Amino acid sequence: MHILEVNNLKKVYTTRFGSHKVQALSNVSFSVEKGEYVAIMGESGSGKTTLLNILAALDKPTSGEVLLNGKNLAEISEREISAFRRDNLGFVFQDFNLLDTFSIQDNIFLPLVLAGESHLEMNKRLLPIARQLGITPIINKYPYEVSGGEKQRAAVARALITRPQLVLADEPTGALDSKATASLLRLFTEINEQGQTILMVTHSTQAAAHAKRVLFIKDGEVFHQLYKTSLSTEEMYQKISDTLTTIATGGERHA
C-alpha cells in the first residue's frame, strides 16, 4: 500500500523581480510503501531540500502532486495545513528544534498540547516512547542540560508521539558525534521494524546504509535507486559510495 505518492513533481523558483528562474525539481516521481525506510541523497543543490519541504507541506510544487494516503497536499487549505501536518507528519531536524525554555518532557508534549490532547493521554503516550529511546532519566531536564544525542532522541520522541503516518528526517545525524549517530541509527531501525514509515534526507553514507531503499537525486530528478534487500549494512554502504562516485563523475542516469 502506498502511503506517499510523488507524481511528476516540478518546482521553479523565480527571483524577486522575475528576471531569473531556477528549476529546483524538474520531474520527480516515486512512491513510498507503508512501513518502508527510505533515504534520499544528492549533492548540495540537487533539489533534495526543496523536495523535503514540499513533502512536509511547507512549500508547494509548480506542477505535479504529492499524495499522502491518497490526499493531495496542494488541495489542503492554509487554515487546515498546520493541523494536517501535526496529525500526519513527524519531523526530526538536524538542529533538534527544541525550545530551551521548555523541559524535555514539555518539548515532546508540544504537538499534543496544540492538538488539545488531555494530560492523561500525553503521559500514556510518552512513557513507552521515553523508555524505548532511553530518555526517561532526562525528561525533566532542559535541552541545554543534555547532550546532542539526548536532544536528538527527544526530538525523535516528539516526532513519534503524535503517531504520524510518516516521519520526515532532515539530516538527523548531522550534528551528532559518531557514538550518538550509531545509537540514533539503531533506534531508527528499531522504530521502522515496529511499522513506522520513515523518509530521511541525508548526506551521510553511514545513515543512508541503514535504510531499506536509497533514492539519489541529481539535477532535480531521481537519478538512481538502491534496494537493501538482503545486503548487510556494510555492503549497502559500499554500493551507496559507488553510486555517489558515479554521480560525482557524471555517470549515466539509471532510475
Side-chain angles (χ1 to χ4, degrees), residues 86 96-115 117-119 122-123 126 130 135-136 138-143 145 151 154-155 157-159 161-162:
R86 185 180 65 237
F96 321 126
N97 280 19
L98 299 174
L99 300 172
D100 270 343
T101 53
F102 281 28
S103 68
I104 295 294
Q105 176 175 277
D106 287 343
N107 269 284
I108 296 167
F109 281 164
L110 188 56
L112 294 185
V113 171
L114 295 171
E117 290 288 356
S118 70
H119 206 267
M122 288 191 278
N123 278 310
L126 175 63
I135 56 172
T136 307
I138 65 158
I139 58 172
N140 292 315
K141 292 188 176 183
Y142 287 81
E145 297 179 303
K151 285 180 190 176
R158 180 183 57 194
I161 203 162
T162 59

Side-chain angles (χ1 to χ4, degrees), residues 1-9 28-33 54-55 64-73 166 199:
M1 172 188 163
H2 295 330
I3 195 168
L4 178 71
E5 291 181 67
V6 178
N7 299 318
N8 307 117
L9 214 60
V28 173
S29 296
F30 66 92
S31 59
V32 176
E33 301 285 323
I54 293 172
L55 299 182
E65 61 182 11
V66 176
L67 306 175
L68 185 65
N69 271 340
K71 191 170 185 68
N72 190 335
L73 300 191
L166 177 66
L199 191 147

Side-chain angles (χ1 to χ4, degrees), residues 7-238:
N7 299 318
N8 307 117
L9 214 60
K10 181 179 178 182
K11 180 65 179 181
V12 178
Y13 292 103
T14 305
T15 54
R16 187 174 175 188
F17 300 108
S19 59
H20 186 59
K21 293 187 187 315
V22 176
Q23 187 153 312
L25 299 173
S26 54
N27 184 28
V28 173
S29 296
F30 66 92
S31 59
V32 176
E33 301 285 323
K34 185 173 174 59
E36 264 203 290
Y37 180 1
V38 178
I40 294 178
M41 300 192 81
E43 297 171 314
S44 295
S46 61
K48 61 187 187 302
T49 300
T50 298
L51 175 60
L52 188 71
N53 286 339
I54 293 172
L55 299 182
L58 295 168
D59 197 359
K60 290 191 175 181
T62 304
S63 62
E65 61 182 11
V66 176
L67 306 175
L68 185 65
N69 271 340
K71 191 170 185 68
N72 190 335
L73 300 191
E75 294 174 357
I76 302 169
S77 71
E78 288 298 322
R79 194 177 65 183
E80 298 172 318
I81 196 69
S82 292
F84 178 84
R85 202 183 289 128
R86 185 180 65 237
D87 294 343
N88 292 279
L89 301 171
F91 299 94
V92 182
F93 303 95
Q94 177 176 341
D95 56 0
F96 321 126
N97 280 19
L98 299 174
L99 300 172
D100 270 343
T101 53
F102 281 28
S103 68
I104 295 294
Q105 176 175 277
D106 287 343
N107 269 284
I108 296 167
F109 281 164
L110 188 56
L112 294 185
V113 171
L114 295 171
E117 290 288 356
S118 70
H119 206 267
L120 187 68
E121 176 65 18
M122 288 191 278
N123 278 310
K124 182 179 159 189
R125 291 195 194 188
L126 175 63
L127 294 174
I129 293 172
R131 198 176 301 121
Q132 180 180 11
L133 298 181
I135 56 172
T136 307
I138 65 158
I139 58 172
N140 292 315
K141 292 188 176 183
Y142 287 81
Y144 56 81
E145 297 179 303
V146 303
S147 70
E150 288 168 332
K151 285 180 190 176
Q152 195 59 297
R153 280 182 274 148
V156 172
R158 180 183 57 194
L160 294 175
I161 203 162
T162 59
R163 298 171 179 165
Q165 300 288 331
L166 177 66
V167 167
L168 296 171
D170 186 9
E171 299 286 2
T173 63
L176 304 180
D177 61 28
S178 58
K179 185 178 176 184
T181 291
S183 174
L184 184 73
L185 293 174
R186 279 196 302 273
L187 284 168
F188 267 33
T189 298
E190 277 180 31
I191 292 160
N192 171 248
E193 286 172 351
Q194 290 167 4
Q196 178 63 60
T197 312
I198 301 172
L199 191 147
M200 170 176 63
V201 167
T202 184
H203 277 101
S204 166
T205 303
Q206 179 189 3
H210 284 74
K212 291 177 180 172
R213 178 162 59 115
V214 182
L215 291 171
F216 298 88
I217 305 290
K218 182 182 180 183
D219 300 330
E221 293 187 54
V222 177
F223 175 84
H224 185 52
Q225 60 180 331
L226 290 174
Y227 286 86
K228 191 171 188 180
T229 55
S230 59
L231 295 176
S232 68
T233 301
E234 292 74 21
E235 289 168 332
M236 188 65 167
Y237 183 100
Q238 189 56 55

